[in-house]
């Protein structure tokens, strides 16, 4: 059996975690530390920043400097850390509500600045922590405690949003495709600029039970059957897309990174120049 | 001392912050505080620091808290509407004990109110604006020169107590221009951020209090691998649901300020030795009050003045001590009545405390406050 070298990245004394049996958050958390290991990031120069939600509790289990911020605000805090000390590697963990509802403005502006952060969105398409209210990523007609007749709010595609706002790297994966997810995150870490990875995770408790899929294994099979690799997706006839969704890397565009741009401001100011 | 120069209150605020070691500013423009951001945008990169204009005041607050955790001394500046937006993260800073200075150059509210007019309507918001029990330090300067000193002091207190400090300015002082002589750099006392006293292996606990009840969480990136959260936490920094931990935590937050309360309560007393009536005043209004008190003296009224620079924690002791021998206190405020009630509480019934409120965008003229003193004396207030 392969050695579980990633275990050293967890605070063993903080485990077991608070997540429900079958929750997908642990899979995504493990993928992040494996990506950190793959990229050989120095642990003491790597900071994990999260918002508020079930997903954002991950920071407490990870043995780095970790920051559990306020709901929606992980990206501004992370921006401050990175600007204050550009040699640090900053990874943000956020939920679909945290990132695209209350934190939506910070999300697009982080991407616009193209600051060197790796943002991993754990997308369970629901507000897990508060017991199953609809999020801006809840699919149309799916049920939530605040959408008892099915949601009529059109959902965001967070990947399209990140790309349109100026991110350097945009990808999606799922908890079923563990190795793929790890690779997507690892490439995001390598990217110098705003890297965004949406990873679909199952929430059997707050989402599955309300939407006739209470079994976590069933939810993962749904991911297996409906996620389509980008290359295949691009060749797929429209009528077959229906409930399916693409995964893979959607966007790579190396633009000027923000802390680098600001270091030029410092040079200019110190030369007393205009 | 350096050369005399003409300076605006907002510029003095920025200069004081930089002199105290601030190297990071994040914020969002709003009248009448904008010159602080503009000055910081210009100065900070030239001293190797960083200025960032965020998407809103919440982002402005988040970005400075992140930078503070990464080791920088930080400042953000705003006015009424922006101060309201910052409140949640001011509480975060109180809970996670992150040093930060928030400048609020007060203008007329509520809401968008009168954006270019002075007010003192955020005195209570400065104290209680964020939810939950927390202590607060707020300083309110009355001159351009003192704004510089207050900015230095605010940064030092934020670092020393690891707490948010509010520099509660007003449009009068923010936009005032005065000739000032700033102290030379070597004469400015700077509180350096403390470092952890133990290593990880020696059992370092980031939120274990020192003798002054202030903890020493390590800066990010220095190898301590700490956890910072806005949830109630124990000395390890990790969340705890325990009633005992919660009680001790809330107690400690308050007591760390209480222990130093006398030292951080700054005020002036003018003509108080034989005073029968006193004006208690703060911020830009104190300038007018001082002139009114002098005019009262010229008319033979035994008037004096207590000028509060520290608004929070409130200067209970000086008010109580003076109230014993006074026949009345007048509190002129550019609001509907806020600090007056604190003065009344501190006076403890020893003498009447009367409010002179103004909230129509205009500032007081000395004659109005003089009339107030005369009315107080004549029992007509
Ligand atoms: C300002 C604020 N508003 C509301 C909440 C309550 N709240 C906590 S978590 C959450 C939603 C979390 O959903 P998501 O970001 O999708 O994370 P998940 O729990 O699903 O992982 C809400 C509304 C809060 N903590 N702070
Ligand atoms: S409520 Fe959902 S997201 Fe939260 S821990 Fe349970 S399964 Fe996971
Ligand atoms: Mg969610």
């Amino acid at each position: 059996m392969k050695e579980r070298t990633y275990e050293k990245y967890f605070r063993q004394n903080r485990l077991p975690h608070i997540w429900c049996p079958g929750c997908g958050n642990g899979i995504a958390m493990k993928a992040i530390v494996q990506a950190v290991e793959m990229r050989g990031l120095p642990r003491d120069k790597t900071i994990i920043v999260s918002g508020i939600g079930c997903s954002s509790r991950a920071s407490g289990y990870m043995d780095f400097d970790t920051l559990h911020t306020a709901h929606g605000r992980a990206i501004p805090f992370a921006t401050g850390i990175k600007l204050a000390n550009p040699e640090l590697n900053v990874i943000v963990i956020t939920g679909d509500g945290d990132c695209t509802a209350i934190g939506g403005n910070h999300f697009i502006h982080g991407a616009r600045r193209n600051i060197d952060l790796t943002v991993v969105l754990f997308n369970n398409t629901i507000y897990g922590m508060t017991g199953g209210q609809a999020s801006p990523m809840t699919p149309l007609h799916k049920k939530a405690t605040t959408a008892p007749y099915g949601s009529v709010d059109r959902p965001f595609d967070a990947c399209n949003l990140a790309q349109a706002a100026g991110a350097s790297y945009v990808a999606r994966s799922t908890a079923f495709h563990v190795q793929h997810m790890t690779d997507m995150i690892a490439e995001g870490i390598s990217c110098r600029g705003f890297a965004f990875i949406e990873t679909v995770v199952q929430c059997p408790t707050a989402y599955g039970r309300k939407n006739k899929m209470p079994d976590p294994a069933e939810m993962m099979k749904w991911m297996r059957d409906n996620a389509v690799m980008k290359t295949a997706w691009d060749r797929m006839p429209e009528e077959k897309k229906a409930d399916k969704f693409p995964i893979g890397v959607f966007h790579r565009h190396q633009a000027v990174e923000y802390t680098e741009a600001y270091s030029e401001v410092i040079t200019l100011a110190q030369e007393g120049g205009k | 001392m350096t050369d005399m120069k003409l300076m605006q209150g907002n510029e003095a605020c920025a200069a004081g912050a930089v002199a105290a070691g601030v190297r990071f500013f994040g914020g969002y423009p709003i009248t009448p505080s904008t010159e602080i951001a503009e000055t910081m945008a210009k100065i900070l990169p030239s001293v190797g620091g960083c200025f960032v204009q965020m998407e809103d005041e919440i982002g402005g607050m988040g970005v400075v808290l992140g930078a503070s955790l990464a080791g920088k001394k930080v400042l953000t500046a705003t006015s009424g509407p922006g101060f309201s937006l910052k409140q949640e993260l001011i509480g975060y800073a109180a809970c996670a004990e992150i040093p930060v200075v928030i400048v609020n150059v007060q203008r007329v509210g509520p809401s968008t109110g009168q954006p270019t007019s002075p007010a003192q309507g955020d005195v209570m918001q400065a104290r209680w604006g964020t939810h939950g029990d927390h202590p607060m330090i707020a300083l309110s300067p009355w001159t351009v020169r003192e704004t510089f000193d207050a900015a230095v002091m605010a940064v030092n207190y934020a670092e020393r107590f690891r707490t948010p400090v509010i520099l509660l300015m007003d449009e009068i002082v923010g936009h005032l221009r005065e000739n000032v002589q700033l102290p030379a750099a070597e004469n400015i006392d700077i509180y350096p951020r403390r470092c952890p006293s133990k290593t990880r292996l020696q059992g370092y606990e980031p939120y274990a209090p020192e003798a002054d009840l202030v903890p020493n969480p390590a800066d990010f990136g220095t190898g301590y691998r700490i956890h910072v959260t806005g949830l109630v936490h124990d000395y390890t920094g990790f969340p705890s649901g325990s009633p005992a931990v919660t009680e001790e935590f809330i107690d400690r937050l308050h007591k760390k300020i209480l222990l130093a309360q006398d030292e951080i309560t700054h005020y002036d007393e003018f003509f108080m030795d034989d005073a029968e009536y006193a004006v208690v005043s703060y911020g830009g209004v104190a300038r007018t009050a001082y002139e009114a008190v002098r005019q009262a003296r010229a008319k033979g009224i035994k008037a004096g003045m207590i000028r509060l620079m520290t608004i929070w924690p409130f200067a209970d002791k000086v008010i109580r001590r003076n109230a014993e021998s006074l026949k009345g206190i007048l509190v002129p405020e550019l609001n509907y009545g806020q600090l007056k009630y604190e003065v009344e509480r501190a006076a403890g019934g020893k003498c009447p405390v009367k409010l002179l409120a103004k909230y129509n965008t205009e500032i007081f003229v000395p004659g109005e406050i003089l009339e107030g003193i005369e009315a107080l004396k004549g029992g007509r207030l």
Side-chain angles (χ1 to χ4, degrees):
Chain A
M1 197 177 128
K2 223 178 113 193
E3 221 192 318
R4 296 161 71 131
T5 52
Y6 58 86
E7 282 188 357
K8 64 175 179 289
Y9 291 103
F10 293 117
R11 291 167 168 147
Q12 301 292 340
N13 63 340
R14 305 306 309 174
L15 296 169
H17 54 66
I18 61 161
W19 295 318
C20 305
C23 175
N25 287 341
I27 298 172
M29 175 169 78
K30 178 182 156 192
I32 292 174
V33 298
Q34 288 195 302
V36 165
E37 188 171 43
M38 273 165 75
R39 286 293 169 258
L41 296 189
R43 198 180 335 178
D44 290 340
K45 298 290 172 196
T46 301
I47 319 292
I48 312 288
V49 184
S50 64
I52 295 286
C54 292
S55 39
S56 287
R57 281 301 191 101
S59 58
Y61 307 122
M62 301 167 78
D63 195 16
F64 302 83
D65 278 324
T66 52
L67 175 60
H68 179 224
T69 69
H71 194 27
R73 316 304 171 198
I75 289 174
F77 277 76
T79 299
I81 294 167
K82 182 73 191 178
L83 271 170
N85 186 354
E87 71 164 34
L88 299 177
N89 307 290
V90 186
I91 298 173
V92 174
I93 295 175
T94 176
D96 44 306
D98 196 66
C99 185
T100 70
I102 192 164
N105 200 28
H106 306 310
F107 173 45
I108 57 175
H109 285 275
R112 174 180 65 82
R113 283 185 195 98
N114 195 33
I115 182 149
D116 185 21
L117 306 176
T118 305
V119 177
V120 186
L121 188 161
F122 292 21
N123 180 18
N124 57 12
T125 70
I126 200 82
Y127 286 2
M129 174 125 273
T130 43
Q133 299 76 32
S135 98
M137 294 183 72
T138 301
L140 264 182
H141 312 308
K142 294 294 180 189
K143 289 191 174 148
T145 59
T146 49
Y149 306 104
S151 172
V152 292
D153 290 35
R154 290 193 306 166
F156 267 140
D157 179 325
C159 289
N160 283 345
L161 195 57
Q163 179 173 343
S168 274
Y169 171 85
V170 178
R172 181 186 288 125
S173 191
T174 88
F176 178 81
H177 303 82
V178 186
Q179 191 52 52
H180 179 259
M181 186 205 288
T182 309
D183 293 341
M184 293 295 102
I185 298 170
E187 186 176 343
I189 289 173
S190 300
C191 159
R192 258 203 80 65
F194 192 91
F196 176 72
I197 302 98
E198 172 191 334
T199 182
V200 178
V201 291
Q202 72 279 8
C203 167
T205 308
Y207 182 79
R209 283 193 305 190
K210 261 180 230 74
N211 288 289
K212 302 197 185 104
M213 221 189 265
D215 175 14
E218 284 303 314
M219 296 184 87
M220 294 184 76
K221 282 184 195 154
W222 177 88
M223 294 175 202
R224 177 195 65 193
D225 297 339
N226 289 284
V228 180
M229 289 296 168
K230 167 100 173 46
T231 39
W233 175 267
D234 289 344
R235 291 192 306 263
M236 210 163 159
E238 283 306 314
E239 67 277 9
K240 289 205 169 160
K241 288 183 176 168
D243 285 339
K244 300 200 184 308
F245 62 94
I247 59 173
V249 179
F250 302 131
H251 180 67
R252 288 185 186 92
H253 174 73
Q254 202 54 64
V256 183
E257 194 275 323
Y258 192 71
T259 60
E260 283 170 13
Y262 198 78
S263 72
E264 285 178 25
V265 173
I266 294 179
T267 310
L268 270 175
Q270 293 186 336
E271 286 164 356
K274 292 232 163 7
Chain B
M1 284 285 170
T2 57
D3 291 343
M4 286 291 260
K5 61 178 155 198
L6 189 65
M7 222 179 188
Q8 187 201 49
N10 282 343
E11 291 166 358
C13 169
V18 173
V22 166
R23 290 296 177 271
F24 196 100
F25 181 101
Y28 191 83
I30 183 166
T31 305
S33 74
T34 305
E35 295 85 359
I36 300 173
E38 289 169 343
T39 309
M40 290 307 244
K42 193 147 193 219
I43 305 180
L44 280 178
S46 71
V47 294
C50 178
F51 167 92
V52 59
Q53 180 170 323
M54 293 299 283
E55 48 276 13
D56 59 28
E57 287 84 351
I58 305 174
M61 198 60 211
V63 82
V64 295
L65 293 183
S68 184
L69 287 166
K72 298 284 186 217
K73 292 187 177 181
V74 302
L75 185 82
T76 185
T78 189
S79 184
F83 194 51
S84 294
L85 286 179
K86 286 183 188 291
Q87 293 299 334
E88 185 195 7
L89 293 186
I90 291 175
Y92 187 93
C95 181
E97 298 181 82
I98 306 173
V100 58
V101 177
I102 304 103
V103 185
N104 174 11
V105 188
Q106 296 168 92
R107 64 189 225 183
V108 175
S111 190
T112 309
Q114 295 279 16
T116 57
S117 301
Q120 296 176 309
D122 308 344
V123 169
M124 286 297 162
Q125 190 188 18
R127 178 66 190 88
W128 297 113
T130 195
H131 57 282
D133 288 309
H134 58 280
M136 193 49 73
I137 300 177
L139 307 174
S140 193
W142 73 325
T143 66
V144 173
R145 177 64 170 78
E146 193 185 67
T147 301
F148 179 93
D149 296 339
V152 173
M153 219 179 254
V155 175
N156 285 342
Y157 289 164
E159 294 290 329
R160 175 174 155 196
F161 300 108
R162 293 200 63 110
T163 195
V165 174
I166 291 167
L167 188 52
L168 194 63
M169 296 173 59
D170 53 56
E171 194 274 344
I172 301 175
V173 177
H175 281 166
L176 182 74
R177 284 181 194 278
E178 288 184 307
N179 250 330
V180 293
Q181 196 173 23
L182 300 180
E186 61 271 22
N187 294 329
I188 297 172
D189 277 338
I190 294 179
Y191 189 89
R193 185 174 296 183
R194 300 197 298 222
C195 295
S197 44
K198 283 184 185 164
T199 64
R200 233 168 105 92
L201 289 175
Q202 289 167 332
Y204 170 67
E205 289 185 315
Y207 282 91
E210 303 279 316
D212 60 359
L213 300 186
V214 180
N216 279 337
D219 291 339
F220 282 170
T222 57
Y224 284 87
R225 293 184 214 154
I226 70 168
H227 184 58
V228 176
T229 177
L231 286 163
V232 168
H233 43 274
D234 59 22
Y235 293 171
T236 65
F238 289 95
S240 164
S242 142
V245 167
T246 306
E247 185 172 321
E248 198 232 51
F249 172 73
I250 304 279
D251 271 340
R252 184 177 61 73
L253 286 187
H254 287 82
K255 283 184 185 156
K256 71 178 178 181
I257 308 295
L258 210 65
L259 278 180
Q261 177 154 355
D262 289 346
E263 195 195 330
I264 65 177
T265 306
H266 304 280
Y267 56 86
D268 295 316
E269 291 174 273
F270 299 108
F271 318 113
M272 286 303 295
D273 287 346
D274 62 342
E276 292 177 346
Y277 299 93
V279 177
V280 174
S281 190
Y282 57 97
V285 170
R287 305 168 69 89
T288 316
Y290 181 78
E291 179 55 26
V293 168
R294 279 185 20 163
Q295 291 178 10
R297 280 275 167 181
K299 287 183 132 184
I301 302 172
K302 288 192 172 167
M305 165 160 154
I306 301 166
R307 202 274 305 183
L308 302 178
M309 180 202 189
T310 303
I311 302 292
W312 304 114
F314 189 71
D316 280 52
K317 283 186 188 166
V318 62
I319 300 297
R320 184 150 316 144
R321 166 164 58 74
N322 281 289
E324 303 273 352
S325 57
L326 288 169
K327 292 185 180 160
I329 294 177
L330 182 72
V331 186
E333 293 189 88
L334 287 184
N335 58 40
Y336 213 73
Q338 295 199 10
L339 210 59
K340 180 256 177 182
Y341 297 101
E342 283 295 302
V343 177
E344 196 162 42
R345 181 188 55 73
K350 300 288 179 196
C351 73
V353 176
K354 300 290 180 184
L355 170 70
L356 190 65
K358 194 163 183 178
Y359 36 84
N360 68 353
T361 75
E362 291 169 354
I363 63 173
F364 285 107
V365 293
E368 285 172 293
I369 297 178
L370 177 61
E371 264 175 44
I373 296 169
E374 286 172 332
L376 178 70
K377 181 165 183 269
R380 297 189 311 275
L381 264 185

